[in-house]
Amino acid sequence: MKEVYMDNAATTPILPEVLEAMLPYLKDAYGNPQSLHQWGDEAREAIEAARGQVAALIGGRPEGIIFTASGSEANNFAIKGLAQAQQSKGKHIVISAIEHFSVLHSAKTLTKWGFEVTEVPVDKNGLVDPEEVAKNIRGDTILVSIMHANGEVGTIEPIAEIAKMVKKTGALFHTDAVATAGTIPVDVAELGVDALSLAANQFYGPKGVGALWLKKGTRIIPFIDGGVQEGGRRAGTENVPAIAGMGKAAELSQRDMSSRMSHLSRLRDRLIRGLASTIEHAILTGHPTQRLPGNASFCIQFIEGEAMLMLLSSKGVAASSGSACTSRALKASHVLTAMGIPAEIAQGSLLFTLGVNNSEQDVDYVLEVLPPIVDRLRQMSPLYAKFIKQQRGGR
Amino acid sequence: MPVYSEKVMDHFMNPRNVGEIENPDGVGEVGNPVCGDMMTFYIKVDDNRLSDVKFQTFGCGAAIAVSSIVSEMAKGKTLEEARKITPALVAEELQGLPKNKYHCSNLGAQALNKAIDDYLEKQGKKVKSKRRKKDEG
């Protein structure tokens, strides 16, 4: 059976060159980077090389990079660590309603620690309005965190504009760039941010490694106390193979970015156009133009996401959904909800996230297998039956 | 994707008794699209027995499999026997359901019961109207 992986927002595969870059550190170069002998030197050099590669990807100084164990850790570190370091100035934080759970839940934890959090809304396309952010900044606001792009609906936020607003107030500005770093150009100076999170498994690096970049002079409370690793800000023996892999993945992403972007946006547009022409009552979610190159997210009306995923999986296609039934908590995606999408339509959430390994044939295969799946589930759906009856009645 | 039993997968991939019965003797609709699942059961009753059962379901894999197995379990049973199809029995018949999908088995049993209620209510009305006709006659 044909296999089509279109769940790259969950994780990208590891590129062969990345795996090659990791292997020595899983084999003979097993030293601890803190050790004072040749094994240690070899491992330390690998980490410092990776730091340079990751810094180059986002236009930052290598010293600004702190390696973490994931994008989620980087976000936790940023939200909690920056807030704690600033709390003598104030205890108010501004985030958006569509942040990743690692930001949302970190902010929730802060409220238990006596901080106040304001969530700014988004419009129907998932866009944050910079004016809305500015309006919610108060005298005691110490930190603003707005994601660079939302991986679920693909909307890219006007971070540079928001950063300008935030800068005037003296609050710190963090952006979760997990969905964008390595995928579209990310330059910390152009964006004008003080802190930025990224994760390797979003750009063909390994899982279990991410990074937080901090602008020079930005104070943060260490997330893991212990030894002197990562300048004493993130203790624990470094995951050398994963960090080396992240470095290589960053280098390749920087090198191939424009060709990847044009490849992905071509496939994305083919999928979006094809789906719109073959499936009725399918709504594109997220911004129509300000969106990630590989993101094709929809709500297919009258049917439910998990059922679609199961039937797609039986045809070898991997996708994802933000429907309530696919979440363990049985709650519809907070992103779709924040965009004002009604619960019954959010139930039909279907997300394809394309990657460099996808081809036009993959897109055409999805466009071939999906319509019968949708049809089959609609034939079963009482909502669709009602809709058809209403339409007939209306004529 | 949740880990479903072979039986759930079978009933999801090849659901039995999907559709609508024309002029059903009873209809039971439960759930609503806002909470995620919605099931409609249609029944045909002959001689106090469910001679036909069909369903329409808007929901996840488990909801579809539950509807299918409930329709299969109910078909041919007397109304009293069909009333004894509990959520626990449905889950057991499906070789278990993931914990967070257990509510789907409630919905299936509820929808069937509601269709039977509807049938009995209609019967009551029919009986009444027949009587009235007799009285009038």
Side-chain angles (χ1 to χ4, degrees):
Chain A
M1 188 170 57
K2 193 168 167 64
E3 282 184 3
V4 174
Y5 183 78
M6 288 196 187
D7 195 12
N8 286 278
T11 186
T12 53
I14 295 180
L15 288 179
E17 299 97 306
V18 172
L19 177 64
E20 282 305 314
M22 294 171 69
L23 284 176
Y25 306 98
L26 288 161
K27 292 178 176 172
D28 300 330
Y30 51 77
N32 182 325
Q34 302 305 325
S35 299
L36 301 177
H37 43 60
Q38 68 260 40
W39 284 269
D41 293 344
E42 198 173 25
R44 191 163 53 252
E45 279 159 22
I47 286 182
E48 293 320 313
R51 202 183 303 283
Q53 289 161 316
V54 172
L57 176 69
I58 58 168
R61 297 169 316 117
E63 309 83 74
I65 298 286
I66 306 167
F67 286 112
T68 63
S70 62
S72 285
E73 186 190 312
N75 282 337
N76 269 261
F77 190 6
I79 302 297
K80 295 172 188 165
L82 292 173
Q84 282 180 293
Q86 302 290 315
Q87 60 181 324
S88 61
K89 295 181 193 161
K91 287 193 141 191
H92 180 242
I93 287 149
V94 177
I95 60 173
S96 87
I98 59 164
E99 295 301 310
H100 186 259
F101 281 137
S102 55
V103 169
L104 284 178
H105 294 174
S106 291
K108 203 171 166 191
T109 297
L110 284 179
T111 62
K112 291 179 195 154
W113 296 350
F115 288 82
E116 244 187 285
V117 178
T118 302
E119 267 183 32
V120 296
V122 295
D123 71 4
K124 65 178 178 17
N125 291 326
L127 269 185
V128 174
D129 177 2
E131 295 290 343
E132 191 70 33
V133 176
K135 224 170 63 189
N136 281 289
I137 296 177
R138 322 187 305 211
D140 61 343
T141 306
I142 48 163
L143 174 66
V144 176
S145 178
I146 309 287
M147 69 196 335
H148 190 193
N150 184 287
E152 205 179 310
V153 294
T155 304
I156 301 170
E157 304 296 346
I159 293 303
E161 268 180 76
I162 299 170
K164 267 182 212 147
M165 302 277 189
V166 178
K167 198 159 261 174
K168 288 182 211 157
T169 69
L172 291 177
F173 187 32
H174 163 258
T175 191
D176 167 5
V178 167
T180 54
T183 301
I184 61 171
V186 170
D187 185 288
V188 290
E190 274 175 33
L191 292 175
V193 295
D194 301 295
L196 179 144
S197 306
L198 63 161
N201 75 330
Q202 296 291 310
F203 54 90
Y204 311 96
K207 294 158 201 66
V209 61
L212 177 66
W213 169 86
L214 290 179
K215 191 175 170 177
K216 193 176 182 182
T218 307
R219 280 193 61 235
I220 194 160
I221 302 299
F223 193 59
I224 296 181
D225 291 315
V228 298
Q229 292 90 351
E230 301 300 288
R233 293 174 294 188
R234 201 280 186 184
T237 301
E238 300 88 338
N239 187 352
V240 183
I243 291 172
M246 183 173 189
K248 189 66 186 178
E251 182 198 310
L252 296 175
S253 295
Q254 202 183 351
R255 189 191 73 191
D256 299 340
M257 188 162 290
S258 59
S259 62
R260 282 184 192 173
M261 281 175 68
S262 59
H263 173 69
L264 291 180
S265 25
R266 207 175 52 242
L267 295 184
R268 174 199 65 192
D269 295 344
R270 187 181 182 89
L271 181 53
I272 291 176
R273 271 199 308 269
L275 201 136
S277 67
T278 48
I279 297 172
E280 275 190 307
H281 314 297
I283 302 160
L284 180 74
T285 56
H287 199 280
T289 53
Q290 285 294 106
R291 72 186 295 137
L292 291 170
N295 182 294
S297 60
F298 306 91
C299 285
I300 314 284
Q301 281 185 265
F302 314 115
I303 53 178
E304 188 278 328
E306 189 208 89
M308 279 188 274
L309 293 187
M310 288 170 70
L311 290 172
L312 279 170
S313 177
S314 76
K315 297 284 180 194
V317 177
S320 85
S321 168
S323 88
C325 299
T326 49
S327 81
R328 264 173 213 212
L330 298 176
K331 263 183 165 171
S333 146
H334 68 283
V335 178
L336 300 176
T337 306
M339 286 160 59
I341 295 175
E344 75 264 29
I345 292 179
Q347 271 293 65
S349 155
L350 184 61
L351 169 61
F352 297 99
T353 40
L354 300 147
V356 294
N357 293 338
N358 289 131
S359 63
E360 255 179 35
Q361 285 88 327
D362 289 349
V363 171
D364 294 345
Y365 179 71
V366 169
L367 289 172
E368 179 194 319
V369 299
L370 183 61
I373 288 174
V374 170
D375 205 41
R376 176 179 169 164
L377 291 171
R378 280 185 178 163
Q379 290 312 316
M380 259 185 242
S381 164
L383 286 183
Y384 189 62
K386 276 185 189 173
F387 171 75
I388 293 295
K389 272 177 201 163
Q390 267 169 17
Q391 266 201 331
R392 281 187 195 142
R395 268 175 207 165
Chain B
M1 206 168 297
V3 184
Y4 286 134
S5 70
E6 261 178 54
K7 194 93 179 258
V8 171
M9 285 310 287
D10 176 36
H11 276 265
F12 170 69
M13 295 303 290
N14 315 292
R16 283 67 146 171
N17 307 310
V18 176
E20 214 177 319
I21 296 177
E22 259 185 68
N23 307 315
D25 293 327
V27 181
E29 189 181 292
V30 295
N32 63 67
V34 176
C35 68
D37 306 287
M38 188 177 158
M39 290 180 195
T40 311
F41 267 74
Y42 304 88
I43 56 168
K44 201 89 189 158
V45 184
D46 278 314
D47 244 358
N48 199 43
R49 255 176 215 286
L50 294 170
S51 58
D52 200 8
V53 181
K54 284 199 185 311
F55 75 88
Q56 288 176 320
T57 291
F58 164 77
C60 64
I64 290 169
V66 161
S67 314
S68 169
I69 198 115
V70 167
S71 73
E72 207 176 63
M73 288 165 82
K75 224 170 164 175
K77 283 206 165 73
T78 65
L79 298 185
E80 294 71 30
E81 284 164 353
R83 289 278 200 205
K84 287 180 190 147
I85 299 173
T86 59
L89 270 179
V90 172
E92 195 189 312
E93 195 67 26
L94 282 171
Q95 298 168 345
L97 279 170
K99 242 186 200 160
N100 67 342
K101 298 285 182 181
Y102 202 81
H103 70 281
C104 294
S105 59
N106 291 327
L107 278 183
Q110 274 171 28
L112 177 67
N113 264 294
K114 227 171 154 182
I116 296 175
D117 288 345
D118 182 49
Y119 163 73
L120 292 176
E121 257 170 54
K122 279 180 186 161
Q123 282 301 100
K125 274 179 199 161
K126 270 182 197 164
V127 172
K128 268 182 207 161
S129 61
K130 271 179 196 165
R131 262 186 212 142
R132 211 172 292 142
K133 269 179 193 165
K134 270 183 196 166
D135 291 346
E136 278 164 12

